Amino acid sequence: MSLAVFVLIIYYSIKMKGLGGFLGELAFQPFGKLGAPVNLVLEGVGLIAKPISLSLRLFGNMYAGEMIFILIALLPFWIQWTLSLPWAIFHILIITLQAFIFMTLTVVYLDMAHQEHH
């Protein structure tokens, strides 16, 4: 999902700003023409950080929730029943919240792709 968001960010950046505008934004913002190498590094890191942060956030929260389920399953039988239902409800709420955050960040990133920096 984060790779799809990354492709959409690049697609809409090029669509809205043109290829020259997109490359100019990568190379000449914020330090101008003399700072092009530094700009490319900074903007490249910023561009790559978006899909990585989206994917790690989603994976990390889902993985942690499943690990807690595994740890609950290792407990004695009578304790499993008392902990599994509250954790399942909490986990469903957390996953829903993470999906909302993923969607919100996707909208923010796509809005940033539509904006022109001056």
Side-chain angles (χ1 to χ4, degrees):
M1 288 190 307
S2 64
L3 289 177
V5 171
F6 182 65
V7 169
L8 285 173
I9 289 169
I10 292 175
Y11 171 75
Y12 281 112
S13 289
I14 293 172
K15 181 180 177 187
M16 298 305 292
K17 302 167 191 165
L19 184 59
F22 174 67
L23 294 176
E25 185 178 272
L26 285 178
F28 304 133
Q29 302 256 335
F31 298 126
K33 293 180 182 178
L34 295 176
V38 175
N39 292 333
L40 284 172
V41 170
L42 290 175
E43 291 294 325
V45 168
L47 196 60
I48 298 299
K50 292 173 186 174
I52 291 174
S53 68
L54 284 173
S55 62
L56 290 179
R57 175 189 321 276
L58 203 56
F59 174 76
N61 284 300
M62 291 176 60
Y63 183 74
E66 297 304 319
M67 288 302 295
I68 297 296
F69 275 126
I70 291 171
L71 291 174
I72 289 173
L74 294 174
L75 293 172
F77 178 72
W78 62 88
I79 299 175
Q80 287 179 11
W81 286 102
T82 59
L83 294 177
S84 62
L85 181 63
W87 182 255
I89 293 169
F90 180 71
H91 186 59
I92 289 171
L93 293 173
I94 292 298
I95 287 178
T96 305
L97 178 65
Q98 288 305 313
F100 175 76
I101 291 170
F102 189 94
M103 181 230 20
T104 303
L105 287 174
T106 300
V107 169
V108 168
Y109 292 156
L110 290 176
D111 181 54
M112 288 170 58
H114 278 82
Q115 295 176 359
E116 292 202 25
H117 300 272
H118 298 321

Short mmCIF file of all heavy atoms in Angstrom, two decimals, residues 1-23:
data_model
loop_
_atom_site.label_atom_id
_atom_site.label_comp_id
_atom_site.label_asym_id
_atom_site.label_seq_id
_atom_site.Cartn_x
_atom_site.Cartn_y
_atom_site.Cartn_z
N MET A 1 0.82 -1.19 0.00
CA MET A 1 0.00 0.00 0.00
C MET A 1 0.87 1.26 0.00
O MET A 1 0.54 2.23 -0.67
CB MET A 1 -0.93 0.00 1.21
CG MET A 1 -2.05 -1.00 1.11
SD MET A 1 -3.35 -0.87 2.38
CE MET A 1 -2.45 -0.89 3.86
N SER A 2 1.95 1.22 0.75
CA SER A 2 2.80 2.41 0.79
C SER A 2 3.52 2.62 -0.54
O SER A 2 3.78 3.76 -0.92
CB SER A 2 3.79 2.33 1.94
OG SER A 2 4.69 1.27 1.75
N LEU A 3 3.84 1.54 -1.25
CA LEU A 3 4.44 1.70 -2.58
C LEU A 3 3.46 2.33 -3.55
O LEU A 3 3.85 3.16 -4.39
CB LEU A 3 4.93 0.36 -3.10
CG LEU A 3 6.16 -0.21 -2.40
CD1 LEU A 3 6.50 -1.58 -2.96
CD2 LEU A 3 7.34 0.71 -2.50
N ALA A 4 2.18 1.96 -3.44
CA ALA A 4 1.16 2.58 -4.28
C ALA A 4 1.04 4.07 -3.98
O ALA A 4 0.91 4.90 -4.90
CB ALA A 4 -0.19 1.88 -4.08
N VAL A 5 1.11 4.43 -2.70
CA VAL A 5 1.07 5.85 -2.32
C VAL A 5 2.29 6.57 -2.87
O VAL A 5 2.19 7.69 -3.39
CB VAL A 5 0.98 6.00 -0.79
CG1 VAL A 5 1.16 7.45 -0.36
CG2 VAL A 5 -0.34 5.46 -0.28
N PHE A 6 3.47 5.93 -2.82
CA PHE A 6 4.69 6.52 -3.35
C PHE A 6 4.57 6.79 -4.85
O PHE A 6 4.92 7.87 -5.34
CB PHE A 6 5.87 5.59 -3.06
CG PHE A 6 7.19 6.12 -3.52
CD1 PHE A 6 7.73 7.26 -2.96
CD2 PHE A 6 7.91 5.46 -4.49
CE1 PHE A 6 8.96 7.75 -3.37
CE2 PHE A 6 9.13 5.93 -4.92
CZ PHE A 6 9.66 7.07 -4.35
N VAL A 7 4.04 5.82 -5.59
CA VAL A 7 3.84 5.99 -7.03
C VAL A 7 2.85 7.12 -7.30
O VAL A 7 3.06 7.95 -8.20
CB VAL A 7 3.38 4.67 -7.68
CG1 VAL A 7 2.92 4.87 -9.11
CG2 VAL A 7 4.49 3.64 -7.63
N LEU A 8 1.78 7.18 -6.51
CA LEU A 8 0.80 8.25 -6.69
C LEU A 8 1.39 9.63 -6.39
O LEU A 8 1.08 10.61 -7.07
CB LEU A 8 -0.42 8.01 -5.81
CG LEU A 8 -1.37 6.92 -6.28
CD1 LEU A 8 -2.45 6.66 -5.24
CD2 LEU A 8 -1.99 7.29 -7.61
N ILE A 9 2.23 9.71 -5.38
CA ILE A 9 2.88 10.99 -5.04
C ILE A 9 3.72 11.46 -6.22
O ILE A 9 3.63 12.63 -6.63
CB ILE A 9 3.74 10.85 -3.77
CG1 ILE A 9 2.87 10.69 -2.53
CG2 ILE A 9 4.66 12.05 -3.60
CD1 ILE A 9 3.64 10.30 -1.29
N ILE A 10 4.53 10.58 -6.76
CA ILE A 10 5.37 10.97 -7.89
C ILE A 10 4.52 11.29 -9.11
O ILE A 10 4.76 12.29 -9.80
CB ILE A 10 6.40 9.86 -8.19
CG1 ILE A 10 7.39 9.77 -7.04
CG2 ILE A 10 7.12 10.12 -9.51
CD1 ILE A 10 8.37 8.65 -7.14
N TYR A 11 3.49 10.47 -9.37
CA TYR A 11 2.62 10.70 -10.53
C TYR A 11 1.94 12.07 -10.45
O TYR A 11 1.98 12.84 -11.40
CB TYR A 11 1.57 9.60 -10.62
CG TYR A 11 0.51 9.87 -11.66
CD1 TYR A 11 0.77 9.73 -13.02
CD2 TYR A 11 -0.76 10.28 -11.27
CE1 TYR A 11 -0.19 9.99 -13.96
CE2 TYR A 11 -1.74 10.55 -12.22
CZ TYR A 11 -1.45 10.40 -13.56
OH TYR A 11 -2.41 10.66 -14.49
N TYR A 12 1.33 12.37 -9.31
CA TYR A 12 0.62 13.65 -9.19
C TYR A 12 1.58 14.84 -9.12
O TYR A 12 1.22 15.93 -9.56
CB TYR A 12 -0.34 13.65 -8.00
CG TYR A 12 -1.61 12.92 -8.32
CD1 TYR A 12 -1.92 11.71 -7.71
CD2 TYR A 12 -2.49 13.41 -9.26
CE1 TYR A 12 -3.07 11.02 -8.02
CE2 TYR A 12 -3.65 12.74 -9.59
CZ TYR A 12 -3.94 11.53 -8.96
OH TYR A 12 -5.07 10.86 -9.28
N SER A 13 2.76 14.64 -8.58
CA SER A 13 3.74 15.73 -8.59
C SER A 13 4.12 16.07 -10.02
O SER A 13 4.17 17.25 -10.40
CB SER A 13 4.99 15.33 -7.81
OG SER A 13 4.73 15.28 -6.44
N ILE A 14 4.37 15.06 -10.84
CA ILE A 14 4.73 15.30 -12.23
C ILE A 14 3.53 15.83 -13.01
O ILE A 14 3.67 16.74 -13.85
CB ILE A 14 5.31 14.02 -12.87
CG1 ILE A 14 6.65 13.69 -12.21
CG2 ILE A 14 5.47 14.18 -14.37
CD1 ILE A 14 7.23 12.35 -12.60
N LYS A 15 2.35 15.30 -12.73
CA LYS A 15 1.15 15.74 -13.45
C LYS A 15 0.84 17.21 -13.16
O LYS A 15 0.50 17.97 -14.07
CB LYS A 15 -0.04 14.87 -13.05
CG LYS A 15 -1.32 15.25 -13.76
CD LYS A 15 -2.48 14.37 -13.33
CE LYS A 15 -3.75 14.85 -14.00
NZ LYS A 15 -4.91 14.15 -13.51
N MET A 16 0.94 17.62 -11.92
CA MET A 16 0.56 18.99 -11.55
C MET A 16 1.65 20.01 -11.86
O MET A 16 1.36 21.13 -12.24
CB MET A 16 0.21 19.07 -10.06
CG MET A 16 -0.97 18.21 -9.65
SD MET A 16 -2.46 18.53 -10.59
CE MET A 16 -2.86 20.15 -10.02
N LYS A 17 2.92 19.62 -11.70
CA LYS A 17 4.01 20.57 -11.84
C LYS A 17 4.77 20.40 -13.15
O LYS A 17 5.59 21.25 -13.49
CB LYS A 17 5.00 20.40 -10.69
CG LYS A 17 4.36 20.59 -9.33
CD LYS A 17 5.27 20.10 -8.24
CE LYS A 17 4.50 20.05 -6.93
NZ LYS A 17 5.15 19.29 -5.92
N GLY A 18 4.52 19.31 -13.85
CA GLY A 18 5.30 18.98 -15.03
C GLY A 18 6.61 18.33 -14.61
O GLY A 18 7.03 18.43 -13.45
N LEU A 19 7.25 17.65 -15.54
CA LEU A 19 8.49 16.97 -15.21
C LEU A 19 9.58 17.96 -14.80
O LEU A 19 10.30 17.73 -13.82
CB LEU A 19 8.97 16.13 -16.40
CG LEU A 19 10.21 15.28 -16.16
CD1 LEU A 19 9.97 14.30 -15.02
CD2 LEU A 19 10.61 14.56 -17.43
N GLY A 20 9.65 19.09 -15.50
CA GLY A 20 10.63 20.11 -15.15
C GLY A 20 10.38 20.72 -13.78
O GLY A 20 11.31 20.96 -13.02
N GLY A 21 9.12 20.96 -13.47
CA GLY A 21 8.77 21.51 -12.16
C GLY A 21 9.07 20.54 -11.03
O GLY A 21 9.57 20.93 -9.97
N PHE A 22 8.79 19.26 -11.28
CA PHE A 22 9.06 18.23 -10.26
C PHE A 22 10.55 18.11 -10.02
O PHE A 22 11.01 18.11 -8.87
CB PHE A 22 8.46 16.90 -10.70
CG PHE A 22 8.81 15.75 -9.81
CD1 PHE A 22 8.34 15.69 -8.51
CD2 PHE A 22 9.62 14.72 -10.26
CE1 PHE A 22 8.67 14.62 -7.68
CE2 PHE A 22 9.96 13.66 -9.45
CZ PHE A 22 9.47 13.61 -8.15
N LEU A 23 11.32 18.01 -11.11
CA LEU A 23 12.78 17.90 -10.97
C LEU A 23 13.38 19.18 -10.41
O LEU A 23 14.33 19.13 -9.63
CB LEU A 23 13.41 17.53 -12.31
CG LEU A 23 13.04 16.14 -12.84
CD1 LEU A 23 13.64 15.93 -14.22
CD2 LEU A 23 13.45 15.06 -11.88
#
